[in-house]
Amino acid sequence: MSTAVDISPEVLAKIPLFQNLSAAECLQLAEIATVHNFTPGEMILRQGRSSQNLWIVISGQCEVIRHGDNGDQEEVVLATLAPYDNFGEMSFFHAAPHSAGVRGKTNVRLLRITREAYDQLISNGAVVAYKLAHNTVESLADRLRKMDEWVARLMRQQTENRRVQEWNQFRQSLFSEWSL
């Protein structure tokens, strides 16, 4: 269910993706956003499907889940998202299927910005669109940095030579074989 945005400026100011935005710019984003409510267990994004929405948790918690690439039904919970966390940004900026799913862990209230609304900001020359993109890149870079640290920690913990070779192949593929 979606409703018109009725989020206070104080809440908008707490959202990391809205950092360094003026009150007027926050309101500009709020004008193009909608609020959606989900129940525990309700799917918000499905792995492998496509949509271009940027989501921000206003209240409640969501789980980021991933299923194996070989059709494996076993799921892995990758993260729990709390208020002011965001998700969906990879598909928002690069039209591709979602790499993971997201579902409500509790009753959750989300702010959604569609790609169409964002593109309208860009076509109008709104500076806030570029600031939002910049803040999103910072968020993604922070996640990538944390993933690098996690992978390095896992590699140090591995005792089987085979596993170390697998990680080295993964690392090599990440930087040389994958096209961006």
Side-chain angles (χ1 to χ4, degrees):
M1 168 160 92
S2 69
T3 60
V5 174
D6 59 351
I7 297 176
S8 72
E10 294 80 24
V11 169
L12 293 174
K14 292 179 182 178
I15 297 171
L17 286 185
F18 291 7
Q19 70 183 356
N20 301 320
L21 301 182
S22 67
E25 290 168 333
C26 283
L27 289 175
Q28 214 174 353
L29 288 177
E31 287 174 0
I32 67 165
T34 54
V35 173
H36 299 261
N37 297 297
F38 294 88
T39 58
E42 189 174 358
M43 292 303 294
I44 301 159
L45 296 180
R46 292 194 185 274
Q47 179 180 328
R49 298 218 181 134
S50 297
S51 65
Q52 287 190 278
N53 298 306
L54 180 60
W55 297 91
I56 300 164
V57 180
I58 300 302
S59 64
Q61 293 184 332
C62 300
E63 292 178 314
V64 180
I65 56 173
R66 180 149 172 91
H67 295 275
D69 291 332
N70 59 355
D72 185 2
Q73 291 305 309
E74 183 178 340
E75 72 179 30
V76 175
V77 176
L78 300 176
T80 298
L81 304 175
Y84 315 122
D85 288 339
N86 59 278
F87 61 93
E89 66 281 344
M90 290 190 325
S91 293
F92 183 77
F93 285 104
H94 181 257
H98 299 299
S99 61
V102 178
R103 69 174 170 225
K105 182 174 181 178
T106 64
N107 286 321
V108 65
R109 187 172 190 217
L110 303 172
L111 188 68
R112 182 184 78 164
I113 299 173
T114 66
R115 181 57 196 235
E116 294 82 14
Y118 177 80
D119 287 343
Q120 188 62 45
L121 286 177
I122 289 175
S123 68
N124 292 337
V127 172
V128 69
Y130 301 101
K131 288 183 176 182
L132 180 62
H134 177 267
N135 290 346
T136 303
V137 167
E138 284 187 345
S139 172
L140 287 168
D142 186 50
R143 286 184 191 168
L144 184 57
R145 187 173 293 108
K146 288 176 183 174
M147 188 176 105
D148 288 346
E149 291 168 2
W150 175 75
V151 168
R153 189 170 48 251
L154 283 177
M155 288 182 68
R156 283 191 300 271
Q157 292 173 353
Q158 292 296 323
T159 57
E160 295 178 33
N161 190 31
R162 178 175 165 257
R163 287 285 188 201
V164 171
Q165 289 174 342
E166 288 174 6
W167 281 113
N168 283 329
Q169 288 172 346
F170 169 77
R171 183 177 43 81
Q172 190 64 28
S173 295
L174 181 63
F175 291 103
S176 65
E177 295 176 21
W178 294 351
S179 63
L180 301 175

